């Protein structure tokens, strides 16, 4: 057991390191050059970095440390060691990358310079005062993918994103507004700073697109690509449906006895959860098994227990 726990911790910290490094790549090489701010302290740091040149990482750490301290005082010790480590790693990777690479884009349609500069690379041209032709859409998609994978890996390691999320958690404690709504409000306010600072309406719109793509990718990284369906089947052919689920689909389920609301007749219902591919087979055979069956189908975001994902150890 101790060996397994040690192995899990090693894997968790590897995920944490890779996720933190990817986050820095997404921020410095894709988000900052396009003047976007997809929420969080690093989004706000990108805006401040452009208005008043100073390292993104330094702006962010000056916000993250006070937020962690204030959050711990108000909310209690909710932020584990991994969250602190993640904060430090993202700071280190971002500082290294912006010091070595600078703030030059990876995706672009070429460089523009006032005076031709022979023999210089794209990065060198930009560092000598050149400009680049932006490709907003492709850059936004790639940035969202990188951010999503990065934060998804950080979440899988057992850490939290911290940063501006702490503001949302504090507001949640003193208001009746849901945490998800508050996160959206805080991040939206940060994206709007790009329009206030630079006067380009495209910037907050593209920033919001990054947040949307990021959220979908986070779900894929954290929960995996498997899709589950939960079916509630009211049937009078209980044995036929049960045998098909057990013997053909090799799945388990739960039989529930209920009472019809209209005439009080006793009804049998099967509660079963399965992968999408198995549900397609069940749906295709239900008419043959019981033409009068009533089925309610629910999308299941996460299933834990025997036959599915293991229950968490902590």
């Amino acid at each position: 057991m101790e060996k397994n726990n040690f192995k899990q911790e090693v894997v968790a910290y590897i995920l944490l390191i890779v996720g933190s490094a990817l986050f820095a790549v997404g921020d410095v090489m894709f988000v900052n050059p396009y003047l976007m701010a997809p929420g969080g302290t690093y989004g706000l740091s990108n805006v401040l970095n452009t208005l008043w040149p100073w390292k993104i990482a330094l702006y962010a750490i000056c916000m993250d440390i006070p937020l962690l301290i204030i959050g711990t005082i108000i909310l209690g010790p909710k932020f584990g060691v991994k969250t602190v480590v993640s904060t430090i790693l993202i700071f280190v990777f971002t500082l290294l990358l912006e010091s070595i690479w600078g703030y030059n884009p990876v995706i672009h349609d070429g460089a523009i310079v006032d005076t031709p500069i022979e023999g210089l690379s794209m990065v060198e041209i930009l560092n000598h005062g050149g400009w680049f032709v932006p490709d907003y859409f492709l850059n936004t998609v790639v940035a969202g993918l990188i951010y999503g994978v990065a934060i998804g890996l950080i979440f899988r390691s057992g850490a939290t994103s911290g940063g501006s999320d702490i503001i949302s958690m504090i507001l949640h404690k003193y208001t009746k507004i849901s945490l998800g709504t508050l996160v959206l409000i805080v991040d939206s306010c940060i994206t709007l700073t790009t329009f206030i600072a630079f006067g380009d309406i495209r910037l907050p719109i593209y920033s919001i697109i990054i947040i949307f793509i990021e959220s979908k990718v986070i779900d894929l990284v954290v929960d995996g690509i498997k899709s589950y369906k939960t079916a509630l089947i009211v049937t009078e052919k209980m044995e036929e449906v049960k045998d098909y689920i057990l013997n053909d689909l090799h799945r388990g389920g739960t039989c529930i006895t209920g009472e019809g609301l209209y005439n009080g007749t006793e009804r049998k219902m099967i509660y079963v959860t399965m992968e999408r591919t198995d549900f397609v087979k069940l749906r295709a055979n239900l008419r043959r098994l019981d033409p009068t069956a009533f089925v309610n189908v629910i999308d299941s975001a996460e299933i834990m227990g025997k036959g599915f994902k293991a229950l968490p150890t902590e």
Side-chain angles (χ1 to χ4, degrees):
M1 183 67 71
E2 289 181 2
K3 186 176 180 180
N4 288 336
N5 289 338
F6 176 75
K7 184 178 178 181
Q8 290 174 359
E9 282 298 298
V10 170
V11 171
Y13 276 99
I14 291 173
L15 293 176
L16 188 58
I17 292 169
V18 174
S20 300
L22 278 177
F23 184 93
V25 168
D27 189 69
V28 175
M29 302 172 74
F30 293 90
V31 171
N32 180 272
Y34 279 75
L35 306 181
M36 291 187 286
T41 54
Y42 279 82
L44 185 57
S45 297
N46 287 326
V47 177
L48 296 174
N49 164 264
T50 306
L51 293 176
W52 301 286
W54 198 34
K55 298 292 187 184
I56 299 170
L58 296 177
Y59 273 123
I61 202 69
C62 286
M63 290 183 274
D64 283 339
I65 291 177
L67 283 173
L68 281 171
I69 294 171
I70 294 170
T72 302
I73 293 171
I74 296 177
L75 303 172
K78 287 187 175 183
F79 314 107
V81 174
K82 290 192 181 78
T83 296
V84 177
V85 172
S86 174
T87 300
I88 295 170
L89 284 175
I90 292 175
F91 164 73
V92 171
F93 283 128
T94 303
L95 186 61
L96 285 174
L97 195 57
E98 60 185 333
S99 299
I100 297 170
W101 176 265
Y103 306 108
N104 302 313
V106 174
I107 295 176
H108 55 81
D109 288 331
I112 300 175
V113 289
D114 296 329
T115 305
I117 304 175
E118 296 293 337
L120 294 184
S121 67
M122 171 68 185
V123 172
E124 290 171 328
I125 290 173
L126 292 171
N127 286 335
H128 279 77
W131 300 84
F132 68 94
V133 180
D135 185 343
Y136 280 104
F137 183 75
L138 181 58
N139 184 80
T140 297
V141 172
V142 175
L145 292 173
I146 293 174
Y147 262 24
V149 173
I151 298 175
L153 291 176
I154 291 171
F155 284 173
R156 286 199 65 168
S157 74
T160 60
S161 56
S164 64
D165 289 349
I166 298 174
I167 299 174
S168 303
M169 294 168 72
I170 293 172
L171 292 174
H172 175 65
K173 181 177 180 179
Y174 297 106
T175 67
K176 295 181 179 180
I177 304 173
S178 71
L179 185 59
T181 300
L182 287 169
V183 169
L184 182 61
I185 291 171
V186 172
D187 282 345
S188 296
C189 289
I190 292 172
T191 63
L192 286 175
T193 60
T194 57
F195 176 68
I196 296 170
F198 310 119
D200 189 341
I201 191 62
R202 292 176 300 177
L203 300 180
I205 293 174
Y206 279 119
S207 296
I208 291 171
I209 294 174
I210 289 178
I211 294 173
F212 177 79
I213 296 173
E214 170 194 327
S215 67
K216 298 301 179 183
V217 176
I218 288 172
D219 288 342
L220 287 175
V221 174
V222 173
D223 298 325
I225 60 174
K226 284 189 176 181
S227 176
Y228 296 103
K229 295 284 188 179
T230 295
L232 300 171
I233 308 167
V234 180
T235 176
E236 295 182 359
K237 302 289 183 66
M238 174 65 74
E239 291 304 317
E240 288 87 340
V241 177
K242 183 175 72 174
D243 287 344
Y244 180 79
I245 293 172
L246 291 173
N247 300 320
D248 291 79
L249 299 181
H250 304 290
R251 303 301 309 183
T254 301
C255 295
I256 302 171
T257 301
E259 185 179 285
L261 188 64
Y262 181 69
N263 54 18
T265 304
E266 183 179 282
R267 296 281 187 177
K268 298 287 187 179
M269 181 170 68
I270 297 175
Y271 172 88
V272 60
T273 297
M274 59 189 67
E275 294 178 15
R276 185 187 294 272
T277 52
D278 286 333
F279 173 73
V280 171
K281 297 175 186 176
L282 174 63
R283 184 175 60 185
N285 284 276
L286 266 177
R287 178 173 288 277
R288 173 180 61 81
L289 297 168
D290 182 4
T292 64
F294 178 85
V295 186
N296 181 20
V297 182
I298 304 168
D299 286 318
S300 299
E302 185 175 21
I303 306 295
M304 293 181 289
K306 187 176 180 180
F308 297 94
K309 185 166 70 174
L311 292 166
T313 55
E314 296 180 358

